[in-house]
Amino acid sequence: MPDYRQMWSNLGLDLQSHDALLSTLGSAYRDIFLSQEDRPEGMKYFDFVMTEVHGLRIKELMDAKAQGRIVIGSYCVFVPEELVLAVDGISVGLCAGAEFNFAGAEEVLPRNLCPLIKSAFGFKMGKVCPYIEASDVVVGENTCDGKKKSYEVLSPMVKDLFVMDMPQMKSEAGKQLLKAEYRRFAEKLEAVSGRKITADALRKGIETTNAKRTAIKRLAAIRKADPAPISGLDALLVNQIFFFDDPARFTASVNKLCDELEERVGKGAGVFPKGTARVLISGCPMAVPNWKIPTIVESSSAVIVGEESCIGERGTQWLTDGRGDTVEGLLDRITERYLKIDCAVFTPNASRVDHVREMVKKYDADGVIHYSLQFCQPYIIESGPAERELEKQGIPTLRLETDYSQEDTGQLRTRVEAFVERLRG
Amino acid sequence: MRVAGIDIGSRTVKLIVVEEGNVVVAKKRINSHDPLVTTRELLRDVPYDRAVATGYGRHLLKRYLNCDVISEIRAFALGAKALIPSCRTILDIGGQDTKAISLNEAGDMIKFEMNDKCAAGTGRFLEVMATALGFSLEDFATAALSAARAEKINSMCTVFAESEVVSLVAQGARRNEVALGIHGSIVGRSIALLNRVGVRGDIVFAGGVALNRCVRQLIESRIGVPVVVPADPQTIGALGSALYGASGLVRGDT
Ligand code: SF4
Ligand code: SF4
């Protein structure tokens, strides 16, 4: 492996903590992913991306920056990658999924805050995230209260925080607000990159982003086969890498994986025996390296066949209509596309349960595990009505609420096993 | 065939052996630091042909005995149904978990709820509070039943509730009224779980805490119907596991 230490230290990382993080991550990855049986060959590419997630990929970002391209970091799927690509920028996800340096985070944030936010601060304050250090602009979107207020605390810690307001309702006024904010974001991107967003560039950005989504939708569709041709863990990993990798290369690699999986399906081959209980996950995003629940589920005689989540289908299911000759018109299309995302920060948000139900049908799931991160009010509050609605329609549903720690693994395992027993009758 | 059902709980390990539908061995033992050692002692001189484990230590035992495992939830459903065929709802309050389970006519589990990761509302909570008040577990329930009114306990968290109890006593509150308050708080928590699965039909109250008369009476007065406490409420999970092993479900299921 090439030596990236100089690059990391130039980025201001704390090398010692960073080493510790990489080694924990590496062994977790081996235990959870590499130990799986019959993994598709196509996963090798994603394994490589993961081993180089702080290495080669960061080097690529640094090289791109040296050529004048900009890097935009964000914490939400409401930040349009299309716009970032239109100024030839690179978009990276900054959400974090590990209990790292929570003590540091709790010096500036309350303890009873969602672990996703605490983790992001833990990484930032522990100086172990090269992505945030490489970001020219960090976008803070006003979605949940936890993030909105935490961005105020984050602001002095990063080079350039761009706060983007968000509607809470999908009304005409909400749409106008979102469009105005997207326009402001576009202007910000133009200012930082020194490039003008043209209709051509924006169309190209839309095309690249759509291609990536189309590939991931293809992967999703293949998972409806029984036996499942790919584990939920591997599919989640691909969805997580969606936020880091070079879009064109990612798209090609996902398509290649899909070719292989389709062949498997044709032969009736899979990673779990035919008839294994099939579970759909719905709820909060699972950011790298949050593999806790899928690991428990897939070692409890069940397979995950879909993720109704922002790292999953909630974030990728819609394409952006790329027809239009003006930036203004394309901005409208982008706004319309994003406003379809059924995130729990919106009210009302009935389309989310409809989508869960559709997914259950589409992927032939036997039941739904509703996953909430502890202290995430929007999703925890939605989980009650969602569960009742799904059960009413005969879809067995299990609600789980947890954080990034490992102490509750035993209890979670009991619940998941009992749920799987319920699914198999 | 003799089938052993072993329930490795956080506080006690329970063993039931069934043969031709009859319970031929029933034992339990307080868990030592090493549940495997405790289990081995329980199984000494107990012949059996097949074993099924449940409880939080089930996977540990699976590696050691190469036996089958089922979740506590399923084990309790099977055990309660066998003892009380009319049972449709189960409340189990054990050392570190509280579970509410709902069964259909056929006795299949249709819904369950379980407490979150903290110990609030479990047997452990009662134990810590009894110690904080200087009661033995037996005297704790008796004292609570003797109180005419209850002190209100606001904290659900075991750690906070303990300091709340200590300061109530320091302010001169009566120990038995505090005790009743604590029992009330654990009952409130359990009723919430029960309501989430829906209270229907005959209700079986199992687990170590079912031995506590005060908890039982408070539950009955809150839900307005009597609950059935099996003769040995702690061994329902072990019984369910043994019956599972004897039923032939094992092969069809794995
Ligand atoms: S859950 Fe909501 S706030 Fe979080 S990433 Fe998704 S859209 Fe954004
Ligand atoms: S998981 Fe919930 S609380 Fe956490 S950042 Fe997302 S919406 Fe906010």
Side-chain angles (χ1 to χ4, degrees), chain B residues 1 7-8 10 30 47 49 55-56 67 69 74 78 89 94 124 127-129 137 157 190 194 207 236 242-243:
Chain B
M1 186 176 60
D7 178 359
I8 307 181
S10 64
I30 300 287
D49 305 303
Y56 95 100
C67 57
V69 294
R74 184 171 215 189
L78 289 169
T89 308
R124 177 87 191 120
E127 237 177 69
V128 171
M129 297 309 140
L137 261 187
C157 163
S190 313
L194 267 180
I236 306 302
L243 293 174

Side-chain angles (χ1 to χ4, degrees), chain A residues 75-78 141 143-144 147 285 310 314 341 343-345 379:
Chain A
Y75 295 96
C76 176
V77 297
F78 267 95
E141 60 351 291
T143 43
C144 67
K147 285 207 269 186
C310 284
R314 190 189 306 130
I341 298 172
C343 169
V345 300
Y379 283 91

Side-chain angles (χ1 to χ4, degrees), chain A residues 171-217:
Chain A
S171 54
E172 191 47 40
K175 189 171 149 194
Q176 290 314 320
L177 169 64
L178 190 62
K179 185 180 173 194
E181 287 299 283
Y182 281 173
R183 187 183 295 116
R184 215 165 55 79
F185 180 48
E187 286 160 5
K188 171 78 182 180
L189 290 168
E190 290 180 332
V192 179
S193 68
R195 284 165 168 263
K196 187 103 192 85
I197 296 184
T198 61
D200 260 352
L202 193 46
R203 263 197 310 268
K204 238 185 105 222
I206 292 174
E207 204 179 297
T208 307
T209 317
N210 277 347
K212 185 159 105 155
R213 293 171 183 144
T214 306
I216 208 98
K217 282 163 73 97

Side-chain angles (χ1 to χ4, degrees), chain A residues 114 116-117 144 147 284-285 345 373 375-376 378-379:
Chain A
C114 139
L116 211 142
I117 302 173
C144 67
K147 285 207 269 186
C284 289
V345 300
L373 284 167
F375 307 118
C376 167
Y379 283 91

Side-chain angles (χ1 to χ4, degrees), chain A residues 78 83 145 175 228 304 307 405:
Chain A
F78 267 95
L83 291 173
D145 282 355
K175 189 171 149 194
I304 295 171
E307 299 77 25
S405 71

Side-chain angles (χ1 to χ4, degrees), chain B residues 140-146 179-184 187 205 209-221:
Chain B
F140 193 36
T142 315
L145 283 171
S146 76
L180 186 57
I182 289 161
H183 283 78
V187 166
F205 181 19
V209 176
L211 295 167
N212 180 309
R213 275 184 308 130
C214 181
V215 171
R216 181 164 65 201
Q217 284 185 21
L218 289 177
I219 287 178
E220 290 180 334
S221 75

